[in-house]
Amino acid sequence: MAEREDVVLTRDVNVVTVPDGFTSILTKGEIVTIHQALGNNYTVVTQYGTMVRIASVDADALGKEHHQLHTLVSETSAEAVENNCWEVMKTVYDPEIPVNIVDLGLVYHCSVSPSKTNPDLNDVHVIMTLTAPGCGMGPVIQGDVEKAIRALPGVASVDVELALDPPWSREMMSEVAQLQLGLY
């Protein structure tokens, strides 16, 4: 999304403030500017200059439609589930950076193994990091990853682990991400 768009909220909406990760409410009638509409959420700036994130399920408050996550493969084999995991993680964005977390280099590892409780399903383990150790949005992004993977067919459980070692650096970004951000 290149152009900013001002909208009037059509109802009260729950938000998460960026970058600290606190929850709050914006009220009906407030004017916000859509800063980023990528992945499954909206990053907006309030009339007071506060940046907040609005979940896709609340897109109607912005006059937008709710985004649905679509899986690429309905198979439930471990290989298909792992491929789907990587694809849905590409729909998760840092609310301040217009690049998905996979291309940012925040996802270190994703493994899929047969579930111990249901042999027809799989357990998923993801190891990821943050752009900064004290990022208040860390738990929010971690929750986005868990929610997206949990919604996939063939998944019994999801464990998203945050690791700060090795620390994230710009060199971990894909070439595409670096080009997108003008760093390459």
Side-chain angles (χ1 to χ4, degrees), residues 58-184:
D58 292 319
D60 65 294
L62 296 165
K64 305 294 180 188
E65 293 200 17
H66 172 64
H67 297 225
Q68 294 289 336
L69 289 177
H70 301 285
T71 57
L72 298 178
V73 180
S74 59
E75 259 185 77
T76 59
S77 69
E79 183 180 345
V81 169
E82 183 175 343
N83 287 336
N84 281 342
C85 287
W86 284 104
E87 289 305 313
V88 297
M89 286 190 288
K90 289 179 184 176
T91 70
V92 177
Y93 286 77
D94 182 304
E96 296 177 284
I97 306 170
V99 175
N100 70 69
I101 64 168
V102 172
D103 286 333
L104 269 177
L106 297 181
V107 181
Y108 291 160
H109 174 80
C110 177
S111 64
V112 176
S113 58
S115 173
K116 293 174 179 61
T117 58
N118 184 337
D120 296 329
L121 299 175
N122 299 282
D123 295 330
V124 178
H125 181 236
V126 174
I127 301 174
M128 62 174 290
T129 193
L130 305 170
T131 56
C135 175
M137 292 301 291
V140 176
I141 296 170
Q142 182 181 13
D144 288 348
V145 170
E146 182 178 335
K147 181 180 173 186
I149 292 173
R150 190 173 305 283
L152 293 172
V155 174
S157 70
V158 182
D159 176 33
V160 181
E161 178 184 345
L162 281 179
L164 299 176
D165 189 31
W168 178 84
S169 69
R170 183 175 113 173
E171 291 74 33
M172 294 174 168
M173 293 169 48
S174 71
E175 195 173 303
V176 170
Q178 290 186 42
L179 283 170
Q180 264 183 289
L181 296 175
L183 302 174
Y184 194 68

Side-chain angles (χ1 to χ4, degrees), residues 19-82:
D20 55 26
F22 296 126
T23 58
S24 184
I25 296 174
L26 294 181
T27 57
K28 178 181 177 177
E30 284 192 56
I31 299 170
V32 297
T33 303
I34 299 176
H35 175 72
Q36 181 171 286
L38 297 168
N40 212 27
N41 300 292
Y42 294 86
T43 303
V44 303
V45 178
T46 69
Q47 54 198 6
Y48 305 107
T50 305
M51 184 177 280
V52 299
R53 191 182 83 153
I54 298 175
S56 178
V57 295
D58 292 319
D60 65 294
L62 296 165
K64 305 294 180 188
E65 293 200 17
H66 172 64
H67 297 225
Q68 294 289 336
L69 289 177
H70 301 285
T71 57
L72 298 178
V73 180
S74 59
E75 259 185 77
T76 59
S77 69
E79 183 180 345
V81 169
E82 183 175 343

